[in-house]
Amino acid sequence: MKPMVKKLAVLLTATGLVASLAACGKANEAGSASSATSSTAASAKPVAPADISITTLAFAAAPTGELEAVKKLNEKLNVNLKLNWIPAAQISEKLNALLASRDLPDVLFVEDFNLTPAFLNAIDQGAFWDLGPYIKNYPNLAKYPENVYKNASLKGKLYSLPRVRPLDGHESMLIRKDWLDKLGLQQPKTMDELATVLEAFAQKDPDGNGKPDTYGAVIPGSPGPASYLLSMFGTGTKWKEENGSLIPYWYTPQAKDALAFWNKSFKAGGILPDFPVLKAAQIKDMLVQGKAGVAFANVIDAYKYNLELQKVNPQANLIAVELPKAPDGKAYYEQASGYYGQFLINKKSVDEAKLKKILEVYDYTASVEGYNLATYGIQDVDYKVKPDGSVEQTEEGKKKGYSGDTTGQWVTGYFDKYSRAKISGIPTDVYEANKKVVDAISSITDPTYGLMKSAPFKEKGADWDKKLNDMMVNVVFGKNTLEDWDKLVKQFKDDPSFQQHLKETNEFYKEKSK
């Protein structure tokens, strides 16, 4: 019987072990299920909204109450936006005070680092996020042109979200098409053809009133001539890169060619005689009064000014066209920076998770839908979209404080290549013609965008600019000669302070270009 007892004992033991293992398995399954349930419950628990403080500027009175649009954004993006507006006239002073107090918001607007240079030191000390590695993950922000980010970068890195603006469309030639037709002339495509048109507008009575009271172009000469007078001839924009280094655009032989051209045009009546004292704000007045038939301005200005022209002369037809080609056969435009002001993100108060949430907010407001909500409020209540796609603020929206001059100042916006070619109510044919002008533009970037001013320039820049501007104006209207111009350029080349300015500017440029 003993062997049988042993076998039975072994069998019972084995049976107990199996039962025990089974029980453990069930317990583990139950435990796993319980753990999974607990984990699911935890993940289902609402995530608290991210508090995001933003300080920006305002060109008009800030809203006094909580805006419904901000509530909608908070709900949609699971954030708690705390917006603070500073009057535009006080922005630099207030920002410097904030930086000195070390009590910065999560996001803050900087208009110009040259006005608030202390922020550059803060960037060097690691106070703000480098956003370059993140932008590609946000589709609307990633749509901004590469040059916008390049122009806004510092020392080869992107420390800000630029408030995006068009790169082109701010330079075009406005011309009286009805004057061309009356005189049997074509749109000038070259500088020689432009000279012919300007002289004809001055001497052949294009308005048909029998009086010698018209001129070719209205060009501002105060406080100095517009840079496009030179850059249209291929000088570069403010600075020109040659063999990896920068030189002032007025050093170039093309600058002297440009001054010779405008001087000849001035003598033939091709420029208003008040040129030395005319300001940019007077361009519109001279065109609307029928004093001049050519100007250089935003593409959309032609349509805007023509509306006023036609109140006096229904047959007037001021249009925007491409700039004439320089003697080398190319048309030269100055490219804009592509932004106005920049938003920095505070690294002290913002960890990477919060950074990504902030970029999510700005990515949404970089869409048309998000931008309109943030800027104008609730569609069909606070604003309406017109058939041509433009936005019109309602009286209700105005009462609540919505305005592009205030509520639109905390977002970066969306990129619209043609925003300088259109305005609410513009006829389709005019808009399509304006778009073609913008599409034809191949512009040149100013290589010094984003660079700090050199130490010598901070001290003497105003005096240097005045000497240059005065000489340019005087050469154009004949008070000084081209020989005088050459002497002034030589003075600058012989000036140790100016040479130090060139040296420092090139150092800044090379640092940015790394």
Side-chain angles (χ1 to χ4, degrees):
M1 292 293 292
K2 286 182 180 180
M4 287 295 294
V5 171
K6 287 182 179 180
K7 287 181 181 179
L8 181 60
V10 171
L11 180 60
L12 290 172
T13 301
T15 303
L17 181 60
V18 170
S20 175
L21 289 172
C24 286
K26 288 180 180 179
N28 287 339
E29 287 175 12
S32 298
S34 174
S35 175
T37 302
S38 174
S39 176
T40 301
S43 65
K45 185 178 180 181
V47 178
D51 290 330
I52 299 174
S53 56
I54 302 173
T55 293
T56 188
L57 84 172
F59 293 103
T64 55
E66 187 175 7
L67 296 169
E68 184 66 22
V70 176
K71 293 181 182 178
K72 294 281 187 186
L73 286 165
N74 286 341
E75 293 169 4
K76 179 177 179 65
L77 303 169
N78 194 35
V79 294
N80 179 23
L81 296 172
K82 300 175 180 179
L83 306 178
N84 176 44
W85 287 279
I86 297 174
Q90 303 171 17
I91 190 71
S92 295
E93 174 190 348
K94 297 287 187 182
L95 288 179
N96 282 322
L98 278 174
L99 187 61
S101 72
R102 299 179 182 273
D103 184 23
L104 296 175
D106 299 325
V107 183
L108 74 160
F109 171 84
V110 174
E111 184 177 17
D112 184 345
F113 286 121
N114 283 298
L115 300 176
T116 51
F119 279 88
L120 290 175
N121 294 330
I123 287 172
D124 285 339
Q125 295 166 13
F128 302 102
W129 278 93
D130 173 9
L131 305 178
Y134 298 92
I135 296 298
K136 64 181 181 294
N137 299 321
Y138 298 88
N140 294 314
L141 293 174
K143 289 179 183 176
Y144 291 177
E146 182 182 353
N147 269 8
V148 174
Y149 286 123
K150 182 179 178 182
N151 293 339
S153 67
L154 293 166
K155 301 180 180 180
K157 293 188 177 182
L158 181 69
Y159 292 100
S160 68
L161 289 175
R163 295 177 74 245
V164 71
R165 296 290 184 272
L167 290 166
D168 296 306
H170 62 292
E171 278 188 354
S172 68
M173 184 164 68
L174 279 50
I175 193 164
R176 286 288 295 268
K177 178 68 164 56
D178 55 314
W179 284 12
L180 288 175
D181 293 343
K182 180 176 176 58
L183 300 179
L185 298 171
Q186 299 297 314
Q187 172 192 329
K189 299 291 184 69
T190 67
M191 288 299 172
D192 286 343
E193 292 175 2
L194 175 61
T196 299
V197 166
L198 294 181
E199 186 173 342
F201 281 0
Q203 299 179 7
K204 296 187 177 181
D205 191 24
D207 60 358
N209 68 355
K211 301 176 182 177
D213 57 357
T214 57
Y215 297 90
V218 50
I219 295 174
S222 177
S227 58
Y228 58 71
L229 288 188
L230 302 191
S231 64
M232 286 167 60
F233 281 75
T235 61
T237 66
K238 310 291 185 180
W239 294 78
K240 187 169 186 176
E241 184 176 0
E242 287 190 352
N243 302 319
S245 296
L246 300 180
I247 62 169
Y249 76 138
W250 43 270
Y251 264 30
T252 64
Q254 292 93 334
K256 190 173 177 181
D257 293 341
L259 292 174
F261 174 88
W262 294 115
N263 170 253
K264 184 178 178 181
S265 291
F266 185 86
K267 289 177 179 176
I271 300 176
L272 262 81
D274 293 335
F275 159 70
V277 295
L278 279 173
K279 294 179 169 56
Q282 294 176 277
I283 290 177
K284 173 186 173 183
D285 296 337
M286 297 298 101
L287 290 171
V288 170
Q289 292 171 21
K291 296 291 185 183
V294 169
F296 302 95
N298 281 322
V299 172
I300 192 56
D301 287 343
Y303 174 72
K304 288 161 57 177
Y305 300 166
N306 199 49
L307 290 177
E308 296 195 38
L309 255 173
Q310 290 183 337
K311 292 176 183 177
V312 179
N313 177 7
Q315 305 306 314
N317 187 17
L318 183 68
I319 63 172
V321 298
E322 300 164 39
L323 295 182
K325 291 182 173 64
D328 66 1
K330 299 178 182 177
Y332 292 97
Y333 296 79
E334 298 178 352
Q335 189 176 94
S337 66
Y339 67 94
Y340 165 60
Q342 300 158 266
F343 288 101
L344 302 174
I345 300 180
N346 184 1
K347 205 167 186 178
K348 181 180 178 181
S349 65
V350 176
D351 60 16
E352 188 174 39
K354 188 172 181 178
L355 169 67
K356 291 178 179 179
K357 177 57 72 171
I358 290 171
L359 292 177
E360 182 185 338
V361 171
Y362 275 91
D363 188 63
Y364 177 62
T365 57
S367 68
V368 175
E369 175 188 284
Y371 175 78
N372 285 348
L373 174 61
T375 302
Y376 304 115
I378 311 303
Q379 186 170 348
D380 297 327
V381 176
D382 303 314
Y383 76 93
K384 294 184 181 296
V385 178
K386 302 175 79 172
D388 61 9
S390 61
V391 171
E392 183 177 54
Q393 199 81 65
T394 64
E395 289 303 316
E396 180 70 16
K398 292 176 184 176
K399 288 177 185 177
K400 294 176 183 175
Y402 291 107
S403 161
D405 287 340
T406 48
T407 47
Q409 300 303 317
W410 73 269
V411 294
T412 56
Y414 60 92
F415 181 76
D416 181 356
K417 177 181 179 180
Y418 301 113
S419 66
R420 290 197 176 106
K422 62 185 176 183
I423 193 173
S424 179
I426 188 171
T428 301
D429 61 330
V430 177
Y431 179 42
E432 290 301 319
N434 285 351
K435 285 169 65 177
K436 289 180 180 178
V437 174
V438 174
D439 286 338
I441 293 173
S442 178
S443 53
I444 304 168
T445 303
D446 181 347
T448 60
Y449 280 137
L451 299 192
M452 284 299 295
K453 299 288 190 292
S454 71
F457 188 86
K458 290 175 184 176
E459 180 184 352
K460 300 182 177 182
D463 181 55
W464 290 340
D465 283 347
K466 186 176 188 309
K467 286 181 179 178
L468 277 167
N469 289 337
D470 287 350
M471 181 60 75
M472 288 181 194
V473 169
N474 289 343
V475 170
V476 170
F477 82 94
K479 182 177 178 181
N480 286 104
T481 65
L482 290 172
E483 287 71 24
D484 294 328
W485 169 257
D486 288 337
K487 290 176 184 176
L488 181 67
V489 172
K490 186 176 186 306
Q491 286 177 20
F492 276 103
K493 289 183 176 180
D494 293 340
D495 181 349
S497 294
F498 191 76
Q499 293 309 306
Q500 180 63 26
H501 163 56
L502 298 189
K503 180 176 180 292
E504 290 184 20
T505 299
N506 272 282
E507 288 171 353
F508 291 149
Y509 174 63
K510 288 173 183 176
E511 187 176 39
K512 177 171 180 166
S513 301
K514 287 178 181 177

